[in-house]
Every structure is written in C-alpha cells, then in structure tokens.
Amino acid sequence: MLDLDPGPYGFYIWMSYGLSAAGLGGLAVFSLVFTRRWRRRAEALEARAREAEPGPEMQP
Amino acid sequence: MTQALAFLYNPHRFMAFSAWAAPLLGALALALAAAGLWLGFTAPEDYQQGDTVRIMFIHVPAAWLGLFVYVCLGGASFLSLVFRQALADAAARAAAPIGAVFTALALATGSLWGKPMWGAWWVWDARLTSVLVLFLFYVAYMALRAALDDEAKGARAAAILALVGLVNVPVVHWSVEWWNTLHQGRTVFAAGGSRAATVFLIPLLLMSLSYMAAFGALWLVRIRGEVWRRRAAAAEARLAR
C-alpha cells in the first residue's frame, strides 16, 4: 500500500525528493533552453552567411 | 565496427541519431522513475532506519551517476586530447554540469539522510570527503573552461584536469573498504551478493536505471547544444571574413 506518511522524518524525506526534482528538472529545462537558443542562433547565422556568399552564377 | 560507431564521432550522424534517441531516453527515464517511485513508496519501513530508507532510492542513484558521469567525462577528455575529436570535446564539456548536479544531489540527499540517522549533517568521513573532492573536480573543470579566452587552450587544460581527477574515482568507490567510515560499506555490490532486501533493491535498481536514462537524454541534448554553438561560431567567422 502506498505510504506517503513519513512520520517524524517528513522534513528530511520530502526535502530530499524536492531537491532532487528541482535539481534534475532545472537541469532538463536549462539544457533544452541552451540547445534551442544555440540552434536558433546557428540557423540564423548560417542563413545570413549563405546569403552573403556569392552563388556559382556570380563567380567569375 | 568503425562504421557502426560513426555516429559517435561524425557530427552529422550524431545529430541524426540524437534527434530520436534523446526524447526516447527521456520518456524511458520518466517511465522508470514512475515505477521506481511507486515501488519505493509502497515498500515497508526499514526496521532500523524507518521511513528514511526511502531517501536511498534517490541518494544512491545520484551518487552512482556522479561517479559514472565523471568516468564518461574522463573518457571523452582522453579522446579529445589524444585523437583531437571535436565531438569528444563537446561531449566532455556537456557532461560536466550534469555530473556536477548528480554529485551535488548525492551530497545534499546524503546530508539529509545523515542528520536523522547519524545526528550530523556532515562528517569528514573518507566517503563523504572523496565525493566532495569529486564535486570540486567538476566545478574546477567548468571554471577552467570558462576562465580561458582561447577555447582550444581551455579545452586542453580542462581535459588534463579531468584525467587527473580520474584518480579520485577508485578512491570514492573503495573509500568504505580502505578506511573506517561512518558511511556504510558496499551494500548492493557487496562481496557475496547484495545485502539489501529485494523489496528495497528493486525500486533502487529502477530508480538507478531511470537516472541513467535521464543522464543519456540530458547528455545528448547538451552535446547537440554544443554542436549548434560551434556551428554558430563557425558561421559568425564566415560572416566576419
């Protein structure tokens, strides 16, 4: 049976689970934001670089 | 064999592989965590430790992963230093913050378990101290990479530091055997088989697999971020020419 009553140790147990959830959840959010930000930036810069480079028909 | 492992060092193949592998591992981590938590909170209280035994289901996997991620960081640093593989360097850089979080969680949850069981938040015991040293190696690795403007020099210096830090890994693992420690000795991998009851062992293993899958997912996501960051830097350099 599910036992969610930790008795006198509630503070230690819930604090441990809370910290773990916050730590791993924060790491997941931070990692996703980091990757999305750099992906957007790289795609925008690569598009600009392609536009700036002369195409084959422009080359002598 | 070389072809089969190409996704590990070819950035294009890695990006194709990680695009589906990262969400799959993330979903697997959540499913395993749900099963592990359910079994963990339906397990009976320990006859000595009472309900605090439930801290084990998150403390032990965090400690194992803190150590395992450092071995990955060391391996990737070796490949980057010796074979000059850019993806290995990205993998090393991506692993450090993940390992630091797992190690910090092992220290914090260990402290929260130690207080009601030992009567102290912290003792300078060989296991606790060597895990603190492990955490400091992670912090030093990240600080060193951030401190040097020349990224290539920073990567080399940090890779050497990561390899030096590998010396601490066996110290952490065997500290409970080599010294008299307040921290309990090996339980799951004890000589002669696990000393933990099956009712605690199953949720512990499920949570450990969940943490492992979460590490896999986060590592792949962060390596992807590193690859995008380097592509952005390369495009910026092309525009500046």
PDB file of all heavy atoms in Angstrom, chain A residues 1-4 13-14 16-18 20-21, chain B residues 29-43 54-58 61 199 202-208 210-211:
ATOM      1  N   MET A   1       0.840  -1.200   0.000  1.00  0.00           N
ATOM      2  CA  MET A   1       0.000   0.000   0.000  1.00  0.00           C
ATOM      3  C   MET A   1       0.878   1.253   0.000  1.00  0.00           C
ATOM      4  O   MET A   1       1.925   1.261   0.634  1.00  0.00           O
ATOM      5  CB  MET A   1      -0.892  -0.001   1.245  1.00  0.00           C
ATOM      6  CG  MET A   1      -2.152   0.828   1.054  1.00  0.00           C
ATOM      7  SD  MET A   1      -3.199   0.767   2.515  1.00  0.00           S
ATOM      8  CE  MET A   1      -2.394   1.925   3.580  1.00  0.00           C
ATOM      9  N   LEU A   2       0.409   2.257  -0.716  1.00  0.00           N
ATOM     10  CA  LEU A   2       1.187   3.496  -0.838  1.00  0.00           C
ATOM     11  C   LEU A   2       1.320   4.174   0.525  1.00  0.00           C
ATOM     12  O   LEU A   2       0.319   4.397   1.200  1.00  0.00           O
ATOM     13  CB  LEU A   2       0.488   4.423  -1.838  1.00  0.00           C
ATOM     14  CG  LEU A   2       1.280   5.612  -2.338  1.00  0.00           C
ATOM     15  CD1 LEU A   2       2.483   5.172  -3.144  1.00  0.00           C
ATOM     16  CD2 LEU A   2       0.396   6.518  -3.197  1.00  0.00           C
ATOM     17  N   ASP A   3       2.557   4.468   0.911  1.00  0.00           N
ATOM     18  CA  ASP A   3       2.795   5.085   2.221  1.00  0.00           C
ATOM     19  C   ASP A   3       3.427   6.465   2.015  1.00  0.00           C
ATOM     20  O   ASP A   3       4.624   6.581   1.782  1.00  0.00           O
ATOM     21  CB  ASP A   3       3.730   4.173   3.036  1.00  0.00           C
ATOM     22  CG  ASP A   3       4.088   4.773   4.387  1.00  0.00           C
ATOM     23  OD1 ASP A   3       3.439   5.758   4.792  1.00  0.00           O
ATOM     24  OD2 ASP A   3       5.020   4.254   5.031  1.00  0.00           O
ATOM     25  N   LEU A   4       2.590   7.491   2.108  1.00  0.00           N
ATOM     26  CA  LEU A   4       3.107   8.852   1.919  1.00  0.00           C
ATOM     27  C   LEU A   4       3.213   9.601   3.247  1.00  0.00           C
ATOM     28  O   LEU A   4       3.382  10.817   3.267  1.00  0.00           O
ATOM     29  CB  LEU A   4       2.212   9.628   0.946  1.00  0.00           C
ATOM     30  CG  LEU A   4       2.218   9.114  -0.508  1.00  0.00           C
ATOM     31  CD1 LEU A   4       1.227   9.873  -1.353  1.00  0.00           C
ATOM     32  CD2 LEU A   4       3.601   9.197  -1.115  1.00  0.00           C
ATOM     33  N   ILE A  13      12.825  13.596   4.266  1.00  0.00           N
ATOM     34  CA  ILE A  13      12.447  12.829   3.066  1.00  0.00           C
ATOM     35  C   ILE A  13      11.917  13.752   1.973  1.00  0.00           C
ATOM     36  O   ILE A  13      12.389  13.722   0.828  1.00  0.00           O
ATOM     37  CB  ILE A  13      11.414  11.738   3.433  1.00  0.00           C
ATOM     38  CG1 ILE A  13      12.072  10.719   4.353  1.00  0.00           C
ATOM     39  CG2 ILE A  13      10.870  11.060   2.172  1.00  0.00           C
ATOM     40  CD1 ILE A  13      11.123   9.745   4.981  1.00  0.00           C
ATOM     41  N   TRP A  14      10.975  14.632   2.322  1.00  0.00           N
ATOM     42  CA  TRP A  14      10.393  15.498   1.282  1.00  0.00           C
ATOM     43  C   TRP A  14      11.409  16.517   0.782  1.00  0.00           C
ATOM     44  O   TRP A  14      11.382  16.897  -0.390  1.00  0.00           O
ATOM     45  CB  TRP A  14       9.110  16.168   1.772  1.00  0.00           C
ATOM     46  CG  TRP A  14       8.030  15.156   2.038  1.00  0.00           C
ATOM     47  CD1 TRP A  14       7.302  15.021   3.174  1.00  0.00           C
ATOM     48  CD2 TRP A  14       7.567  14.116   1.145  1.00  0.00           C
ATOM     49  NE1 TRP A  14       6.423  13.967   3.071  1.00  0.00           N
ATOM     50  CE2 TRP A  14       6.566  13.390   1.836  1.00  0.00           C
ATOM     51  CE3 TRP A  14       7.911  13.716  -0.140  1.00  0.00           C
ATOM     52  CZ2 TRP A  14       5.903  12.305   1.264  1.00  0.00           C
ATOM     53  CZ3 TRP A  14       7.243  12.627  -0.711  1.00  0.00           C
ATOM     54  CH2 TRP A  14       6.257  11.945  -0.012  1.00  0.00           C
ATOM     55  N   SER A  16      14.607  15.928   0.493  1.00  0.00           N
ATOM     56  CA  SER A  16      15.473  15.170  -0.423  1.00  0.00           C
ATOM     57  C   SER A  16      14.810  15.025  -1.792  1.00  0.00           C
ATOM     58  O   SER A  16      15.433  15.258  -2.830  1.00  0.00           O
ATOM     59  CB  SER A  16      15.752  13.769   0.127  1.00  0.00           C
ATOM     60  OG  SER A  16      16.447  13.860   1.323  1.00  0.00           O
ATOM     61  N   TYR A  17      13.542  14.622  -1.781  1.00  0.00           N
ATOM     62  CA  TYR A  17      12.841  14.428  -3.062  1.00  0.00           C
ATOM     63  C   TYR A  17      12.617  15.768  -3.764  1.00  0.00           C
ATOM     64  O   TYR A  17      12.724  15.861  -4.991  1.00  0.00           O
ATOM     65  CB  TYR A  17      11.516  13.677  -2.838  1.00  0.00           C
ATOM     66  CG  TYR A  17      11.728  12.176  -2.766  1.00  0.00           C
ATOM     67  CD1 TYR A  17      12.073  11.557  -1.567  1.00  0.00           C
ATOM     68  CD2 TYR A  17      11.634  11.388  -3.904  1.00  0.00           C
ATOM     69  CE1 TYR A  17      12.304  10.190  -1.497  1.00  0.00           C
ATOM     70  CE2 TYR A  17      11.872  10.017  -3.855  1.00  0.00           C
ATOM     71  CZ  TYR A  17      12.209   9.426  -2.649  1.00  0.00           C
ATOM     72  OH  TYR A  17      12.456   8.060  -2.590  1.00  0.00           O
ATOM     73  N   GLY A  18      12.326  16.804  -2.988  1.00  0.00           N
ATOM     74  CA  GLY A  18      12.110  18.136  -3.582  1.00  0.00           C
ATOM     75  C   GLY A  18      13.377  18.662  -4.241  1.00  0.00           C
ATOM     76  O   GLY A  18      13.355  19.159  -5.371  1.00  0.00           O
ATOM     77  N   SER A  20      15.907  16.896  -5.320  1.00  0.00           N
ATOM     78  CA  SER A  20      16.239  16.069  -6.497  1.00  0.00           C
ATOM     79  C   SER A  20      15.371  16.462  -7.686  1.00  0.00           C
ATOM     80  O   SER A  20      15.877  16.592  -8.815  1.00  0.00           O
ATOM     81  CB  SER A  20      16.050  14.586  -6.177  1.00  0.00           C
ATOM     82  OG  SER A  20      16.906  14.225  -5.133  1.00  0.00           O
ATOM     83  N   ALA A  21      14.073  16.666  -7.433  1.00  0.00           N
ATOM     84  CA  ALA A  21      13.167  17.055  -8.530  1.00  0.00           C
ATOM     85  C   ALA A  21      13.572  18.423  -9.075  1.00  0.00           C
ATOM     86  O   ALA A  21      13.630  18.631 -10.299  1.00  0.00           O
ATOM     87  CB  ALA A  21      11.725  17.077  -8.032  1.00  0.00           C
TER      88      ALA A  21
ATOM     89  N   ALA B  29      13.232   7.418 -18.995  1.00  0.00           N
ATOM     90  CA  ALA B  29      13.599   7.863 -17.638  1.00  0.00           C
ATOM     91  C   ALA B  29      12.349   8.159 -16.818  1.00  0.00           C
ATOM     92  O   ALA B  29      12.253   7.767 -15.646  1.00  0.00           O
ATOM     93  CB  ALA B  29      14.486   9.103 -17.721  1.00  0.00           C
ATOM     94  N   LEU B  30      11.365   8.827 -17.423  1.00  0.00           N
ATOM     95  CA  LEU B  30      10.131   9.165 -16.695  1.00  0.00           C
ATOM     96  C   LEU B  30       9.340   7.909 -16.338  1.00  0.00           C
ATOM     97  O   LEU B  30       8.825   7.792 -15.223  1.00  0.00           O
ATOM     98  CB  LEU B  30       9.272  10.122 -17.538  1.00  0.00           C
ATOM     99  CG  LEU B  30       9.813  11.548 -17.685  1.00  0.00           C
ATOM    100  CD1 LEU B  30       8.938  12.358 -18.630  1.00  0.00           C
ATOM    101  CD2 LEU B  30       9.891  12.253 -16.320  1.00  0.00           C
ATOM    102  N   ALA B  31       9.263   6.965 -17.279  1.00  0.00           N
ATOM    103  CA  ALA B  31       8.509   5.727 -17.023  1.00  0.00           C
ATOM    104  C   ALA B  31       9.173   4.913 -15.908  1.00  0.00           C
ATOM    105  O   ALA B  31       8.497   4.424 -14.992  1.00  0.00           O
ATOM    106  CB  ALA B  31       8.425   4.900 -18.303  1.00  0.00           C
ATOM    107  N   LEU B  32      10.498   4.796 -15.964  1.00  0.00           N
ATOM    108  CA  LEU B  32      11.218   4.045 -14.925  1.00  0.00           C
ATOM    109  C   LEU B  32      11.100   4.732 -13.571  1.00  0.00           C
ATOM    110  O   LEU B  32      10.962   4.075 -12.541  1.00  0.00           O
ATOM    111  CB  LEU B  32      12.692   3.897 -15.321  1.00  0.00           C
ATOM    112  CG  LEU B  32      12.995   2.893 -16.429  1.00  0.00           C
ATOM    113  CD1 LEU B  32      14.409   3.089 -16.972  1.00  0.00           C
ATOM    114  CD2 LEU B  32      12.833   1.458 -15.917  1.00  0.00           C
ATOM    115  N   ALA B  33      11.145   6.083 -13.572  1.00  0.00           N
ATOM    116  CA  ALA B  33      11.019   6.832 -12.310  1.00  0.00           C
ATOM    117  C   ALA B  33       9.636   6.618 -11.707  1.00  0.00           C
ATOM    118  O   ALA B  33       9.505   6.453 -10.490  1.00  0.00           O
ATOM    119  CB  ALA B  33      11.282   8.315 -12.544  1.00  0.00           C
ATOM    120  N   ALA B  34       8.595   6.613 -12.556  1.00  0.00           N
ATOM    121  CA  ALA B  34       7.229   6.406 -12.049  1.00  0.00           C
ATOM    122  C   ALA B  34       7.121   5.031 -11.385  1.00  0.00           C
ATOM    123  O   ALA B  34       6.595   4.909 -10.268  1.00  0.00           O
ATOM    124  CB  ALA B  34       6.228   6.530 -13.196  1.00  0.00           C
ATOM    125  N   ALA B  35       7.679   3.998 -12.042  1.00  0.00           N
ATOM    126  CA  ALA B  35       7.625   2.641 -11.477  1.00  0.00           C
ATOM    127  C   ALA B  35       8.472   2.561 -10.204  1.00  0.00           C
ATOM    128  O   ALA B  35       8.043   1.984  -9.190  1.00  0.00           O
ATOM    129  CB  ALA B  35       8.126   1.635 -12.508  1.00  0.00           C
ATOM    130  N   GLY B  36       9.662   3.159 -10.236  1.00  0.00           N
ATOM    131  CA  GLY B  36      10.564   3.116  -9.080  1.00  0.00           C
ATOM    132  C   GLY B  36       9.978   3.838  -7.877  1.00  0.00           C
ATOM    133  O   GLY B  36      10.070   3.356  -6.742  1.00  0.00           O
ATOM    134  N   LEU B  37       9.348   4.998  -8.128  1.00  0.00           N
ATOM    135  CA  LEU B  37       8.761   5.764  -7.016  1.00  0.00           C
ATOM    136  C   LEU B  37       7.565   5.033  -6.423  1.00  0.00           C
ATOM    137  O   LEU B  37       7.371   5.019  -5.204  1.00  0.00           O
ATOM    138  CB  LEU B  37       8.351   7.163  -7.499  1.00  0.00           C
ATOM    139  CG  LEU B  37       9.513   8.124  -7.782  1.00  0.00           C
ATOM    140  CD1 LEU B  37       9.009   9.406  -8.421  1.00  0.00           C
ATOM    141  CD2 LEU B  37      10.278   8.450  -6.502  1.00  0.00           C
ATOM    142  N   TRP B  38       6.765   4.428  -7.303  1.00  0.00           N
ATOM    143  CA  TRP B  38       5.596   3.680  -6.808  1.00  0.00           C
ATOM    144  C   TRP B  38       6.073   2.540  -5.895  1.00  0.00           C
ATOM    145  O   TRP B  38       5.596   2.404  -4.764  1.00  0.00           O
ATOM    146  CB  TRP B  38       4.774   3.131  -7.983  1.00  0.00           C
ATOM    147  CG  TRP B  38       3.650   2.257  -7.521  1.00  0.00           C
ATOM    148  CD1 TRP B  38       3.635   0.899  -7.432  1.00  0.00           C
ATOM    149  CD2 TRP B  38       2.377   2.703  -7.003  1.00  0.00           C
ATOM    150  NE1 TRP B  38       2.446   0.459  -6.930  1.00  0.00           N
ATOM    151  CE2 TRP B  38       1.649   1.535  -6.637  1.00  0.00           C
ATOM    152  CE3 TRP B  38       1.789   3.954  -6.812  1.00  0.00           C
ATOM    153  CZ2 TRP B  38       0.363   1.592  -6.110  1.00  0.00           C
ATOM    154  CZ3 TRP B  38       0.504   4.008  -6.285  1.00  0.00           C
ATOM    155  CH2 TRP B  38      -0.197   2.850  -5.939  1.00  0.00           C
ATOM    156  N   LEU B  39       7.028   1.758  -6.361  1.00  0.00           N
ATOM    157  CA  LEU B  39       7.525   0.633  -5.548  1.00  0.00           C
ATOM    158  C   LEU B  39       8.262   1.146  -4.303  1.00  0.00           C
ATOM    159  O   LEU B  39       8.197   0.533  -3.239  1.00  0.00           O
ATOM    160  CB  LEU B  39       8.449  -0.265  -6.382  1.00  0.00           C
ATOM    161  CG  LEU B  39       7.762  -1.090  -7.466  1.00  0.00           C
ATOM    162  CD1 LEU B  39       8.776  -1.911  -8.243  1.00  0.00           C
ATOM    163  CD2 LEU B  39       6.713  -2.030  -6.854  1.00  0.00           C
ATOM    164  N   GLY B  40       8.940   2.288  -4.445  1.00  0.00           N
ATOM    165  CA  GLY B  40       9.683   2.862  -3.322  1.00  0.00           C
ATOM    166  C   GLY B  40       8.767   3.316  -2.190  1.00  0.00           C
ATOM    167  O   GLY B  40       9.101   3.190  -1.010  1.00  0.00           O
ATOM    168  N   PHE B  41       7.602   3.842  -2.569  1.00  0.00           N
ATOM    169  CA  PHE B  41       6.675   4.338  -1.545  1.00  0.00           C
ATOM    170  C   PHE B  41       5.619   3.297  -1.145  1.00  0.00           C
ATOM    171  O   PHE B  41       4.749   3.601  -0.344  1.00  0.00           O
ATOM    172  CB  PHE B  41       6.025   5.650  -2.005  1.00  0.00           C
ATOM    173  CG  PHE B  41       6.930   6.833  -1.766  1.00  0.00           C
ATOM    174  CD1 PHE B  41       7.809   7.259  -2.744  1.00  0.00           C
ATOM    175  CD2 PHE B  41       6.949   7.487  -0.535  1.00  0.00           C
ATOM    176  CE1 PHE B  41       8.675   8.324  -2.525  1.00  0.00           C
ATOM    177  CE2 PHE B  41       7.809   8.549  -0.300  1.00  0.00           C
ATOM    178  CZ  PHE B  41       8.681   8.974  -1.303  1.00  0.00           C
ATOM    179  N   THR B  42       5.703   2.114  -1.750  1.00  0.00           N
ATOM    180  CA  THR B  42       4.831   1.031  -1.266  1.00  0.00           C
ATOM    181  C   THR B  42       5.664   0.011  -0.463  1.00  0.00           C
ATOM    182  O   THR B  42       5.102  -0.896   0.144  1.00  0.00           O
ATOM    183  CB  THR B  42       4.112   0.303  -2.436  1.00  0.00           C
ATOM    184  OG1 THR B  42       5.080  -0.013  -3.425  1.00  0.00           O
ATOM    185  CG2 THR B  42       3.018   1.157  -3.036  1.00  0.00           C
ATOM    186  N   ALA B  43       6.984   0.188  -0.486  1.00  0.00           N
ATOM    187  CA  ALA B  43       7.855  -0.711   0.297  1.00  0.00           C
ATOM    188  C   ALA B  43       7.649  -0.437   1.790  1.00  0.00           C
ATOM    189  O   ALA B  43       7.341   0.698   2.171  1.00  0.00           O
ATOM    190  CB  ALA B  43       9.312  -0.472  -0.087  1.00  0.00           C
ATOM    191  N   ARG B  54      13.691   5.536   2.379  1.00  0.00           N
ATOM    192  CA  ARG B  54      13.221   5.978   1.050  1.00  0.00           C
ATOM    193  C   ARG B  54      14.164   7.003   0.417  1.00  0.00           C
ATOM    194  O   ARG B  54      14.130   7.226  -0.786  1.00  0.00           O
ATOM    195  CB  ARG B  54      11.805   6.540   1.143  1.00  0.00           C
ATOM    196  CG  ARG B  54      10.817   5.512   1.648  1.00  0.00           C
ATOM    197  CD  ARG B  54       9.387   5.975   1.607  1.00  0.00           C
ATOM    198  NE  ARG B  54       8.604   5.352   2.665  1.00  0.00           N
ATOM    199  CZ  ARG B  54       8.254   4.078   2.686  1.00  0.00           C
ATOM    200  NH1 ARG B  54       8.602   3.290   1.703  1.00  0.00           N
ATOM    201  NH2 ARG B  54       7.547   3.580   3.689  1.00  0.00           N
ATOM    202  N   ILE B  55      14.995   7.634   1.239  1.00  0.00           N
ATOM    203  CA  ILE B  55      15.988   8.575   0.678  1.00  0.00           C
ATOM    204  C   ILE B  55      17.007   7.796  -0.157  1.00  0.00           C
ATOM    205  O   ILE B  55      17.558   8.316  -1.123  1.00  0.00           O
ATOM    206  CB  ILE B  55      16.671   9.392   1.808  1.00  0.00           C
ATOM    207  CG1 ILE B  55      15.624  10.244   2.540  1.00  0.00           C
ATOM    208  CG2 ILE B  55      17.770  10.287   1.254  1.00  0.00           C
ATOM    209  CD1 ILE B  55      16.158  11.025   3.736  1.00  0.00           C
ATOM    210  N   MET B  56      17.208   6.529   0.195  1.00  0.00           N
ATOM    211  CA  MET B  56      18.161   5.695  -0.546  1.00  0.00           C
ATOM    212  C   MET B  56      17.832   5.635  -2.040  1.00  0.00           C
ATOM    213  O   MET B  56      18.731   5.613  -2.877  1.00  0.00           O
ATOM    214  CB  MET B  56      18.147   4.266   0.037  1.00  0.00           C
ATOM    215  CG  MET B  56      19.011   3.281  -0.718  1.00  0.00           C
ATOM    216  SD  MET B  56      19.085   1.677   0.086  1.00  0.00           S
ATOM    217  CE  MET B  56      17.462   1.004  -0.284  1.00  0.00           C
ATOM    218  N   PHE B  57      16.527   5.635  -2.382  1.00  0.00           N
ATOM    219  CA  PHE B  57      16.129   5.465  -3.785  1.00  0.00           C
ATOM    220  C   PHE B  57      16.537   6.643  -4.669  1.00  0.00           C
ATOM    221  O   PHE B  57      16.485   6.536  -5.896  1.00  0.00           O
ATOM    222  CB  PHE B  57      14.611   5.230  -3.887  1.00  0.00           C
ATOM    223  CG  PHE B  57      14.124   4.093  -3.023  1.00  0.00           C
ATOM    224  CD1 PHE B  57      13.000   4.233  -2.225  1.00  0.00           C
ATOM    225  CD2 PHE B  57      14.814   2.885  -2.996  1.00  0.00           C
ATOM    226  CE1 PHE B  57      12.567   3.200  -1.419  1.00  0.00           C
ATOM    227  CE2 PHE B  57      14.384   1.836  -2.189  1.00  0.00           C
ATOM    228  CZ  PHE B  57      13.259   1.996  -1.390  1.00  0.00           C
ATOM    229  N   ILE B  58      16.869   7.772  -4.047  1.00  0.00           N
ATOM    230  CA  ILE B  58      17.356   8.898  -4.867  1.00  0.00           C
ATOM    231  C   ILE B  58      18.819   9.240  -4.541  1.00  0.00           C
ATOM    232  O   ILE B  58      19.523   9.771  -5.380  1.00  0.00           O
ATOM    233  CB  ILE B  58      16.467  10.165  -4.715  1.00  0.00           C
ATOM    234  CG1 ILE B  58      16.171  10.434  -3.252  1.00  0.00           C
ATOM    235  CG2 ILE B  58      15.205  10.030  -5.549  1.00  0.00           C
ATOM    236  CD1 ILE B  58      15.452  11.744  -3.014  1.00  0.00           C
ATOM    237  N   PRO B  61      21.320   6.340  -6.467  1.00  0.00           N
ATOM    238  CA  PRO B  61      21.479   6.572  -7.928  1.00  0.00           C
ATOM    239  C   PRO B  61      22.225   7.869  -8.242  1.00  0.00           C
ATOM    240  O   PRO B  61      23.044   7.902  -9.175  1.00  0.00           O
ATOM    241  CB  PRO B  61      20.031   6.652  -8.438  1.00  0.00           C
ATOM    242  CG  PRO B  61      19.230   5.919  -7.440  1.00  0.00           C
ATOM    243  CD  PRO B  61      19.902   6.134  -6.122  1.00  0.00           C
ATOM    244  N   VAL B 199      12.848  -6.151  -1.546  1.00  0.00           N
ATOM    245  CA  VAL B 199      11.787  -5.143  -1.549  1.00  0.00           C
ATOM    246  C   VAL B 199      12.362  -3.717  -1.675  1.00  0.00           C
ATOM    247  O   VAL B 199      11.703  -2.806  -2.172  1.00  0.00           O
ATOM    248  CB  VAL B 199      10.892  -5.321  -0.290  1.00  0.00           C
ATOM    249  CG1 VAL B 199      11.601  -4.846   0.964  1.00  0.00           C
ATOM    250  CG2 VAL B 199       9.555  -4.666  -0.469  1.00  0.00           C
ATOM    251  N   ILE B 202      14.680  -3.663  -5.677  1.00  0.00           N
ATOM    252  CA  ILE B 202      14.007  -3.462  -6.974  1.00  0.00           C
ATOM    253  C   ILE B 202      13.736  -1.975  -7.242  1.00  0.00           C
ATOM    254  O   ILE B 202      14.113  -1.467  -8.301  1.00  0.00           O
ATOM    255  CB  ILE B 202      12.732  -4.336  -7.076  1.00  0.00           C
ATOM    256  CG1 ILE B 202      13.155  -5.815  -7.144  1.00  0.00           C
ATOM    257  CG2 ILE B 202      11.913  -3.974  -8.317  1.00  0.00           C
ATOM    258  CD1 ILE B 202      12.017  -6.783  -7.049  1.00  0.00           C
ATOM    259  N   PRO B 203      13.101  -1.223  -6.298  1.00  0.00           N
ATOM    260  CA  PRO B 203      12.931   0.208  -6.581  1.00  0.00           C
ATOM    261  C   PRO B 203      14.260   0.955  -6.744  1.00  0.00           C
ATOM    262  O   PRO B 203      14.369   1.876  -7.559  1.00  0.00           O
ATOM    263  CB  PRO B 203      12.150   0.752  -5.373  1.00  0.00           C
ATOM    264  CG  PRO B 203      12.112  -0.327  -4.379  1.00  0.00           C
ATOM    265  CD  PRO B 203      12.417  -1.604  -5.051  1.00  0.00           C
ATOM    266  N   LEU B 204      15.275   0.507  -5.998  1.00  0.00           N
ATOM    267  CA  LEU B 204      16.593   1.154  -6.124  1.00  0.00           C
ATOM    268  C   LEU B 204      17.151   0.954  -7.531  1.00  0.00           C
ATOM    269  O   LEU B 204      17.662   1.892  -8.154  1.00  0.00           O
ATOM    270  CB  LEU B 204      17.551   0.591  -5.071  1.00  0.00           C
ATOM    271  CG  LEU B 204      19.009   1.054  -5.169  1.00  0.00           C
ATOM    272  CD1 LEU B 204      19.103   2.567  -4.979  1.00  0.00           C
ATOM    273  CD2 LEU B 204      19.880   0.354  -4.137  1.00  0.00           C
ATOM    274  N   LEU B 205      17.038  -0.268  -8.051  1.00  0.00           N
ATOM    275  CA  LEU B 205      17.556  -0.537  -9.402  1.00  0.00           C
ATOM    276  C   LEU B 205      16.728   0.199 -10.462  1.00  0.00           C
ATOM    277  O   LEU B 205      17.286   0.719 -11.428  1.00  0.00           O
ATOM    278  CB  LEU B 205      17.592  -2.044  -9.678  1.00  0.00           C
ATOM    279  CG  LEU B 205      18.619  -2.812  -8.833  1.00  0.00           C
ATOM    280  CD1 LEU B 205      18.570  -4.305  -9.144  1.00  0.00           C
ATOM    281  CD2 LEU B 205      20.042  -2.288  -9.054  1.00  0.00           C
ATOM    282  N   LEU B 206      15.410   0.272 -10.263  1.00  0.00           N
ATOM    283  CA  LEU B 206      14.566   1.001 -11.230  1.00  0.00           C
ATOM    284  C   LEU B 206      14.921   2.490 -11.234  1.00  0.00           C
ATOM    285  O   LEU B 206      15.026   3.110 -12.298  1.00  0.00           O
ATOM    286  CB  LEU B 206      13.077   0.831 -10.878  1.00  0.00           C
ATOM    287  CG  LEU B 206      12.458  -0.515 -11.245  1.00  0.00           C
ATOM    288  CD1 LEU B 206      11.054  -0.630 -10.668  1.00  0.00           C
ATOM    289  CD2 LEU B 206      12.402  -0.681 -12.762  1.00  0.00           C
ATOM    290  N   MET B 207      15.125   3.052 -10.052  1.00  0.00           N
ATOM    291  CA  MET B 207      15.495   4.473  -9.978  1.00  0.00           C
ATOM    292  C   MET B 207      16.887   4.707 -10.570  1.00  0.00           C
ATOM    293  O   MET B 207      17.141   5.729 -11.207  1.00  0.00           O
ATOM    294  CB  MET B 207      15.447   4.977  -8.525  1.00  0.00           C
ATOM    295  CG  MET B 207      14.049   5.105  -7.958  1.00  0.00           C
ATOM    296  SD  MET B 207      12.993   6.202  -8.917  1.00  0.00           S
ATOM    297  CE  MET B 207      13.650   7.797  -8.478  1.00  0.00           C
ATOM    298  N   SER B 208      17.782   3.738 -10.375  1.00  0.00           N
ATOM    299  CA  SER B 208      19.132   3.870 -10.944  1.00  0.00           C
ATOM    300  C   SER B 208      19.070   3.853 -12.467  1.00  0.00           C
ATOM    301  O   SER B 208      19.743   4.646 -13.134  1.00  0.00           O
ATOM    302  CB  SER B 208      20.036   2.742 -10.452  1.00  0.00           C
ATOM    303  OG  SER B 208      20.082   2.764  -9.056  1.00  0.00           O
ATOM    304  N   SER B 210      16.513   4.724 -14.197  1.00  0.00           N
ATOM    305  CA  SER B 210      15.866   5.989 -14.575  1.00  0.00           C
ATOM    306  C   SER B 210      16.885   7.133 -14.617  1.00  0.00           C
ATOM    307  O   SER B 210      16.906   7.931 -15.559  1.00  0.00           O
ATOM    308  CB  SER B 210      14.755   6.306 -13.573  1.00  0.00           C
ATOM    309  OG  SER B 210      14.364   7.642 -13.702  1.00  0.00           O
ATOM    310  N   TYR B 211      17.737   7.200 -13.605  1.00  0.00           N
ATOM    311  CA  TYR B 211      18.771   8.241 -13.556  1.00  0.00           C
ATOM    312  C   TYR B 211      19.739   8.068 -14.736  1.00  0.00           C
ATOM    313  O   TYR B 211      20.190   9.032 -15.325  1.00  0.00           O
ATOM    314  CB  TYR B 211      19.533   8.188 -12.231  1.00  0.00           C
ATOM    315  CG  TYR B 211      18.909   9.009 -11.118  1.00  0.00           C
ATOM    316  CD1 TYR B 211      17.543   8.980 -10.875  1.00  0.00           C
ATOM    317  CD2 TYR B 211      19.692   9.819 -10.294  1.00  0.00           C
ATOM    318  CE1 TYR B 211      16.980   9.727  -9.853  1.00  0.00           C
ATOM    319  CE2 TYR B 211      19.136  10.577  -9.272  1.00  0.00           C
ATOM    320  CZ  TYR B 211      17.783  10.523  -9.053  1.00  0.00           C
ATOM    321  OH  TYR B 211      17.230  11.274  -8.045  1.00  0.00           O
TER     322      TYR B 211
END
